[in-house]
Amino acid sequence: MRNIKRLRIEVSGIVQGVGFRPHVHRLAARWRLAGWARNSGGALELEVQGAAESCVSFIEDLVKQAPSPARVHRLGVTEIRADGREEAFTIIESLMAGKLSRFIPVDIGICDACRRELLDERDRRHGYPFINCCACGPRYTIIEKLPYDRERTSMRSFHLCLDCDFEYANEIDRRFHAEPNACPQCGPKYTYMDSHGSATGSDAVIAAGKVLSEGKVLAVKGIGGFHLMCLATDFRPVDKIRTLKDRPDKPLAVMVSDESEAARLGELSAAEADLLRGPERPIVLLSRRAGALPDNVCAGAGTVGVMLPYAPIHLLLLEEARLPLVTTSANHSGAPIIVDNKEAAAELKGIADGWLLNDRAIVNGCDDSVVRHHAGRSITVRIGRGKAPAALRLPGVNRPILACGSDLKSTLCLAAGGWAHVSQYLGDLSDCDCLSRFRETAHRLSRLLDVVPELVACDSHPDYVSTAYARSLDLPLRRVQHHHAHIAAAMAEKEIKGPVIGVAFDGSGWGPDGHIWGGEWLLCDRRLAVRAAHLKEVPMPGGEAAIRQPWRMAVAYLTALGLGGPAIADIFPEIDAADIRLVAGQLAGGVNAPLTSSCGRLFDAVSSIVSGCRSQSYEGQAAAGLEALAFAARDEGAYPFSLTDVDGVTQVDYGEMFAALLEDKAAGAAPAAMAARFHLGLAEVIRSVSRRLRDKEGIETVVLAGGVFVNARLLTATAGRLEADGFSVITNENIPINDGGISLGQAAIVAAGGGLPED
Ligand code: ZN
Ligand code: ZN
Ligand code: FE
């Protein structure tokens, strides 16, 4: 008799909702093995029995030939007694609870096979906007509970017709156990509505396409929430969206039908094309080609956000419109993404000319993810559909931790069992709808992952809404310094322990001295951080007002350098001298003028001097304008910063930098040249401070983190210089480099025993 073996196999990772059970089934048939497989909790369990050598081949192929969206994090194999009596291999009913770590499957953009069927007139799903298969379709956005099976998703109310059921049950079909499987007979439907009436099915798509072609604004329910869409080639509907959504300047994303169209709007490298096409289908920020679109699509930004269609409905709309479409989330800036038909109808009254709705509920609202790639480095600007929830290895989590992140660009992180799970972007928590979405998401993640937090982490800012939420949970609490969390987020994602030289440059974060930090060099590991250097502090005249009006910051820096009101008024001829006097008075009186070492504010000041930027309507606007200018210049020298030591901490002084800038400005230098010199000056000073710290401490690794490093010009100039000096440079890649990464950093620090208890 041949050598018969029976193996028990446990696979954890992204193995649900990615066609893993069908994959296992096919392999078992190929190697003539009997047994069974089932989803168990968030993982997969199986047993196979057959010839010993076939078992070995099966295990090899199991991982090597896994479907592309799958990620195997752990594979456990044990040999057990070969006394199974199965004749064949079967998929058996899922087990609700499992002892293995759970992972939540993420949404996957439409695959090529489904796309072909969608556009094939002979196919039974021709033009059907909910087509999907094991390799594509919604996942997280429709999941209510795990294990991931249809009855625990918002597809539950749609009963499979005979044809769909046959595919679902047929192990050689590519829709075998595709949970959202659907067709025009049995699945969800789109309905179009406007003030004149309504249409359903394919008529709805045609009616919606007509609205777009007429230069009107269409509200579309997609995978993660509602978008407003209009022709990107027509400035009028774009203008309407901007005015009515009160979004005067923030660039709007554009959906294009293919890569060649993307390349027409922005410069597209091979790496960027890969990002565009990837299963996550994010918005990719490309360097914009001037004149390719009306100016009001991207406003003053040097980048254009481009994405490919990821839901079948997008493909159909692009087929109808035949032009690139502005595709922007329909919610007001800072508010949570709209997921509900009724809410969309109410919120978008007067903005949308037509509504394309459907009857499948969005369970977990997700914005589109936003990524950027430059000079070999990819960064995430926003984590959303396709990327969230992200699972990262996080050893040392003894008690489950809920980390509440930061208030702006809020995300949550739930860590347990050696893994951290980072939520989608949840908006700005000063908006109370965002706060309720935040609460909901905390509960949902806890249910999905079957983890009850025992420890809560939050920012050390006493007035953050997320801090108040953390306190309200009545659990042991750890407060984590904001910039340490930025650095720890990168260390966690890149799985390094430290110590590192952490350079955290951002808009603002609470410092232990009560000042607003944001231009920091920290010597840190995962548990502790020491401030080793920082940008010299300056008062922020008017507090928050100084963020909205960048010239106020310029007045603050220039006053600190000893320049008087009249000299400053000369630099800003377009600003009322009385306003400048008012700000100078605030500075002199020290009223409502908190001290800050923020690099974001330094960018604001320089931007207002270089380009006269008077006000900004979204965070980072002045800096983005300066970056765009810097990209237009050749490398032309760097402005100098000087270093002084105060009580063992290095202060980076901007005096010489401003003096050189003002000299350039007086001499009529090109704004692009001034912008470039400022960027390169910062890159140089990051290098020189990091060198100093390396000489003192012997640390060779630098982490660059914080929202300022969304700036690709600065990031690559800095990383390039540091690498040339022999440093190893670490940045976040799939977790946001800005405040969206704070929750992961908090979890990592608390998992390592860091953070301070509530006092
Ligand atoms: Zn597919
Ligand atoms: Zn059907
Ligand atoms: Fe920050």
Side-chain angles (χ1 to χ4, degrees), residues 61-117:
D61 292 353
L62 188 67
V63 178
K64 243 197 283 174
Q65 295 176 17
S68 61
R71 296 279 174 276
V72 174
H73 295 323
R74 221 200 82 179
L75 182 70
V77 182
T78 33
E79 196 177 332
I80 55 175
R81 269 177 62 150
D83 56 2
R85 285 161 198 215
E86 304 101 338
E87 305 260 290
F89 190 88
T90 47
I91 304 289
I92 62 173
E93 205 180 320
S94 298
L95 211 61
M96 282 301 283
K99 58 183 174 21
L100 292 173
S101 294
R102 293 180 165 204
F103 295 91
I104 304 167
V106 296
D107 302 79
I108 309 166
I110 184 169
C111 72
D112 288 342
C114 285
R115 182 194 174 107
R116 271 194 300 277
E117 285 182 7

Side-chain angles (χ1 to χ4, degrees), residues 134-326:
C134 283
C136 77
R139 302 287 188 263
Y140 176 54
T141 51
I142 59 166
I143 292 178
E144 292 160 350
K145 285 188 197 129
L146 290 178
Y148 174 55
D149 286 303
R150 190 179 179 96
E151 69 256 33
R152 286 178 287 276
T153 70
S154 57
M155 287 300 293
R156 182 184 41 209
S157 48
F158 303 97
H159 299 287
L160 290 166
C161 68
L162 282 177
D163 286 343
C164 286
D165 193 44
F166 181 74
E167 295 165 337
Y168 186 85
N170 176 7
E171 65 261 25
I172 56 164
D173 196 282
R174 67 185 184 85
R175 297 196 167 89
F176 178 52
H177 275 272
E179 305 306 340
N181 193 22
C183 79
Q185 269 60 56
C186 66
K189 284 180 180 51
Y190 268 100
T191 303
Y192 172 81
M193 287 201 297
D194 63 19
S195 49
H196 307 295
S198 65
T200 53
S202 53
D203 289 345
V205 178
I206 292 167
K210 193 159 162 279
V211 167
L212 290 171
S213 300
E214 285 170 351
K216 293 179 181 163
V217 177
L218 180 70
V220 183
K221 185 176 184 181
I223 301 290
F226 273 85
H227 281 131
L228 289 174
M229 297 178 98
C230 71
L231 294 182
T233 48
D234 187 345
F235 77 94
R236 289 164 312 165
V238 176
D239 201 49
K240 184 179 175 192
I241 290 177
R242 286 208 176 278
T243 312
L244 295 174
K245 267 186 72 186
D246 191 23
R247 193 172 157 170
D249 308 302
K250 202 167 180 183
L252 302 171
V254 179
M255 188 176 276
V256 295
S257 51
D258 55 30
E259 288 126 63
S260 64
E261 210 165 61
R264 220 172 44 73
L265 306 187
E267 288 165 31
L268 184 73
S269 66
E272 287 164 327
D274 283 346
L275 287 171
L276 266 183
R277 266 192 310 257
E280 302 166 346
R281 301 284 154 87
I283 295 171
V284 183
L285 300 178
L286 302 178
S287 186
R288 179 161 75 101
R289 288 193 200 283
L293 288 172
D295 282 343
N296 61 351
V297 175
C298 302
T303 54
V304 57
V306 176
M307 67 181 138
L308 293 179
Y310 54 85
I313 190 68
H314 299 146
L315 272 168
L316 298 173
L317 289 173
L318 281 165
E319 284 281 306
E320 293 289 324
R322 305 214 158 261
L323 283 169
L325 297 171
V326 158

Side-chain angles (χ1 to χ4, degrees), residues 534-556:
H534 61 90
L535 296 181
K536 193 174 164 187
E537 290 173 327
V538 69
M540 261 173 87
E544 293 283 303
I547 301 176
R548 288 188 298 273
Q549 298 177 313
W551 63 269
R552 283 171 174 262
M553 284 313 300
V555 176

